[in-house]
Amino acid sequence: MDSTEFLNAVAERAGLPLPEAATVTRATLTTLTARVSGEQARGLAAQLPEEFQGYLRKEVDFAEPLDLVQFLTEIQARTGLDGDRAAVTARAVLTTLCEAVSAGERDALVAELPKDFRRLLRPAARVQG
């Protein structure tokens, strides 16, 4: 999946124009990076388009404890979206991320995240315009 396909999928799922899809993708991937190990961040980055790899750059190897509420609060702060909209857009990005990487990488990501994140990793229907 190239960056255009990725952003189009996020935009469709979240019902956003492409510039906003790019903003929420950056915010979600940057926030996710703090929550996963350095090894996991590097594994995800290696399978994503080059334009997104920098969002997953991590200098340390440990994962910062971050529950789903904190995760969504950080996305809200980075994007200016309200809580419900932040959850919808995070789900769109994470679902697209899971489609863009191998099954092994997706399973490793799911294993690292707290169980409450799983509801954001289920496939989200694409919004029809």
Side-chain angles (χ1 to χ4, degrees):
M1 180 179 290
D2 67 23
S3 61
T4 301
E5 292 170 321
F6 193 102
L7 290 177
N8 280 330
V10 170
E12 286 181 41
R13 283 190 167 102
L16 295 172
L18 282 176
E20 287 182 45
T23 299
V24 300
T25 296
R26 179 179 59 247
T28 303
L29 294 179
T30 301
T31 305
L32 179 66
T33 300
R35 180 54 197 94
V36 298
S37 68
E39 180 180 350
Q40 182 64 55
R42 288 185 294 276
L44 291 169
Q47 293 187 24
L48 289 180
E50 187 175 335
E51 294 89 334
F52 303 144
Q53 291 176 4
Y55 306 149
L56 291 156
R57 196 163 322 280
K58 187 166 185 167
E59 301 301 322
V60 295
D61 205 39
F62 66 88
E64 187 180 300
L66 194 67
D67 66 24
L68 182 57
V69 172
Q70 293 167 316
F71 180 77
L72 294 174
T73 300
E74 283 205 27
I75 291 172
Q76 284 179 264
R78 292 173 194 255
T79 62
L81 296 171
D82 68 24
D84 290 340
R85 212 54 198 128
V88 167
T89 60
R91 184 176 187 186
V93 173
L94 293 176
T95 298
T96 305
L97 172 67
C98 286
E99 288 179 350
V101 299
S102 68
E105 203 60 53
R106 181 191 64 237
D107 292 347
L109 173 63
V110 170
E112 271 199 36
L113 294 173
K115 288 184 174 144
D116 58 352
F117 274 73
R118 291 191 181 145
R119 69 181 198 201
L120 291 181
L121 299 171
R122 289 183 304 214
R126 293 182 186 212
V127 174
Q128 298 298 316

